[in-house]
Amino acid sequence: MSISDIFFSCGLITFNAASPRDVDYMVWNARGNSATCTAFGMFTALGFLGGLLYTCSLNINYLLMV
């Protein structure tokens, strides 16, 4: 639907691999560090908010057209 959906999906796909190794007891297959966790957290947050704002703007646009 939009580029923000791709960002959101990339953040969700790599969740376990981007988690820091320090939390290996909580997250299976944690292989990252705090920088990768922060980066993919940012992708997930931007993708979620971007998709939400994109959908809302389309809904408002179609509402105003009617």
Side-chain angles (χ1 to χ4, degrees):
M1 197 164 137
S2 66
I3 193 75
S4 61
D5 290 329
I6 295 171
F7 283 152
F8 185 65
S9 297
C10 287
L12 290 180
I13 288 171
T14 59
F15 171 73
N16 288 343
S19 297
R21 289 184 185 199
D22 300 340
V23 294
D24 193 25
Y25 59 92
M26 290 175 37
V27 178
W28 178 76
N29 201 18
R31 295 185 180 182
N33 54 25
S34 65
T36 58
C37 184
T38 303
F40 283 103
M42 183 192 70
F43 279 133
T44 304
L46 286 177
F48 177 75
L49 290 175
L52 183 65
L53 292 175
Y54 180 71
T55 304
C56 288
S57 67
L58 282 178
N59 288 335
I60 291 171
N61 183 29
Y62 291 135
L63 181 67
L64 294 175
M65 289 176 113
V66 171

